Amino acid sequence: MSKLLEDREGLIIPKKLFKVAVAQYSSINFDLEGSLNKLEKITKEAANKGVQLLLFPEAFLPGYPHGGDFGAVYGNHGLSGRKIYQLWHESAVEIPGPAITRLSKVAKENNIFLVVGTIEKETTSSTLYCTVVFIKEDGEYLGKHRKLVPTNIERITWGQGDGSTLNVYDSPVGKVGAVICWENYMPLLRTTMYTKGIQIYCAPNADNSADRWQHTMRHIAMEGRCFVLGCNQFTRRSDYPADPEFPNAISDKDGDRVLSSGGSIIVNPLGELLAGPNYSNEELLIADIDLNEVIRGKYDLDVVGHYNRPDIFTLYVNEKPNPVLVTKMQDLKVSGAVNSEQTESQNVTKK
């Protein structure tokens, strides 16, 4: 055994080195064009520093309304909340649409893979969704992930995503996917991403629990043996419209009051910090990663491989889209709304 170890002392495994970054910045809130301009500036800075994949926070386009209560109390929804919702809706992102076209242009011009938190609106309804979009370095729009369960008061304003957007995409730095904020506390969702071979686990968020969130990010990196990029905004009251346009339950007097303290982080597959956390200011956090660390990490722990018991535990994931409107029986079968055996039985009965 000692002879074998001696022979391996000089073993050199070529590194698979890449540069990734998280953008801990505030949006230009409720201003899509302004937020896109800021995103473009940050992306150019990242590209100049050699970054190949760049993650922006949850709801960066056009902003996360920290401190906004939307005039909601049990049994009543005030007019002020309706006005804020309209303001948010007017600045939200259509997919596809002009904002996605702009993101594609930015990604291509800077040869950088973008993962961007957005507030998405549909042309067929007025519901908003918390969505992450993926744009290739050549400008191709790959797809999106919609948040499955909005948290707390978010449920007043956001719809729920379905299983059709739980994708992992190839990127220049590895297989990349996104799990948004408190979705990261959903063990079955994390497991789903692990089964898809995720290597760059993006966690855009709006969490302000400081050290507790760092524990979550580091645990996920160790559990999934993947690189974790956690990205939150750093925002002050002055980054939002003033009262009465945007009444704020946290602070309406102190414009310098921090509403979101950042805490963005980059972690390797063994839970070690590569960048962050930063609780003080806006910053572009950059880290060099070696993709070989994913394989080396799974030497002793692969939760969807050798450290799994599929004979005991089974995970079922419904990845079918669940549209609000269906016009044909075939569409019902595709969405999973009607069991195909039931449909066939009904057709036989009709005959």
Side-chain angles (χ1 to χ4, degrees):
M1 179 63 74
S2 60
K3 180 65 169 62
L4 179 62
L5 292 176
E6 287 175 8
D7 291 342
R8 285 183 171 271
E9 282 183 0
L11 181 64
I12 299 176
I13 301 176
K15 293 184 177 182
K16 297 180 180 179
L17 292 177
F18 303 100
K19 196 178 292 289
V20 299
V22 295
Q24 180 172 289
Y25 292 87
S26 173
S27 310
I28 309 298
N29 288 283
F30 305 113
D31 181 348
L32 180 56
E33 187 68 20
S35 295
L36 281 166
N37 290 341
K38 187 168 184 177
L39 178 145
E40 182 172 3
K41 182 179 178 181
I42 296 166
T43 302
K44 286 181 179 179
E45 178 188 346
N48 289 336
K49 294 180 178 180
V51 171
Q52 295 161 279
L53 181 143
L54 176 58
L55 171 65
F56 283 84
E58 178 180 13
F60 186 80
L61 300 177
Y64 187 97
H66 285 282
D69 59 17
F70 286 78
V73 295
Y74 271 96
N76 185 54
H77 298 92
L79 179 59
S80 63
R82 299 184 191 279
K83 289 181 177 179
I84 297 169
Y85 184 81
Q86 181 179 356
L87 180 66
W88 210 13
H89 188 275
E90 289 174 351
S91 56
V93 175
E94 292 183 4
I95 304 175
I100 299 301
T101 301
R102 175 84 179 274
L103 288 176
S104 296
K105 183 173 181 289
V106 171
K108 185 175 183 179
E109 287 179 348
N110 292 281
N111 191 34
I112 195 167
F113 192 105
L114 291 177
V115 184
V116 183
T118 72
I119 296 301
E120 177 194 0
K121 64 180 176 183
E122 292 184 320
T123 56
T124 55
S125 76
S126 295
T127 297
L128 298 177
Y129 296 90
C130 181
T131 301
V132 170
V133 297
F134 300 83
I135 312 290
K136 280 182 64 176
E137 69 282 2
D138 63 3
E140 179 186 357
Y141 166 72
L142 290 177
K144 66 186 180 185
H145 167 58
R146 278 182 176 174
K147 193 172 187 178
L148 297 181
V149 183
T151 304
N152 205 335
I153 197 171
E154 293 171 354
R155 298 178 191 181
I156 294 176
T157 54
W158 295 349
Q160 292 186 324
D162 59 36
S164 67
T165 67
L166 305 179
N167 297 315
V168 169
Y169 300 98
D170 289 324
S171 82
V173 304
K175 294 184 179 297
V176 58
V179 180
I180 305 170
C181 205
W182 276 24
E183 282 187 321
N184 287 282
Y185 291 128
M186 300 172 70
L188 301 185
L189 175 54
R190 297 201 308 269
T191 302
T192 299
M193 303 307 283
Y194 302 152
T195 64
K196 295 174 182 286
I198 192 168
Q199 297 168 309
I200 312 297
Y201 184 113
C202 295
N205 66 88
D207 187 275
N208 274 317
S209 60
D211 289 346
R212 285 177 293 171
W213 187 252
Q214 308 311 317
H215 296 323
T216 297
M217 296 290 93
R218 297 179 73 174
H219 168 83
I220 291 171
M222 296 175 66
E223 178 183 70
R225 290 302 199 250
C226 52
F227 289 95
V228 171
L229 281 59
C231 188
N232 190 8
Q233 297 194 32
F234 183 90
T235 62
R236 299 182 185 276
R237 178 63 183 94
S238 56
D239 292 317
Y240 294 87
D243 186 34
E245 187 177 10
F246 182 65
N248 196 283
I250 299 176
S251 174
D252 251 336
K253 297 178 181 179
D254 182 6
D256 203 42
R257 170 74 179 268
V258 174
L259 301 184
S260 177
S261 58
S264 300
I265 192 172
I266 301 176
V267 192
N268 76 6
L270 294 181
E272 299 165 339
L273 297 180
L274 301 180
N278 175 2
Y279 297 106
S280 303
N281 54 275
E282 292 185 322
E283 183 183 6
L284 183 68
L285 285 82
I286 302 174
D288 293 311
I289 65 171
D290 179 2
L291 211 57
N292 285 325
E293 291 185 32
V294 173
I295 300 299
R296 289 198 288 266
K298 292 185 178 182
Y299 153 70
D300 54 359
L301 180 68
D302 184 350
V303 294
V304 293
H306 64 78
Y307 217 94
N308 183 28
R309 287 294 303 274
D311 55 321
I312 300 175
F313 305 108
T314 302
L315 173 61
Y316 170 77
V317 182
N318 178 10
E319 294 189 328
K320 296 177 181 177
N322 289 289
V324 174
L325 174 66
V326 289
T327 57
K328 299 177 183 178
M329 185 59 71
Q330 185 62 34
D331 292 339
L332 284 171
K333 292 165 71 175
V334 169
S335 72
V338 171
N339 183 287
S340 59
E341 286 80 9
Q342 281 184 320
T343 306
E344 291 172 4
S345 174
Q346 291 169 357
N347 290 338
V348 171
T349 302
K350 289 179 181 179
K351 290 178 182 178

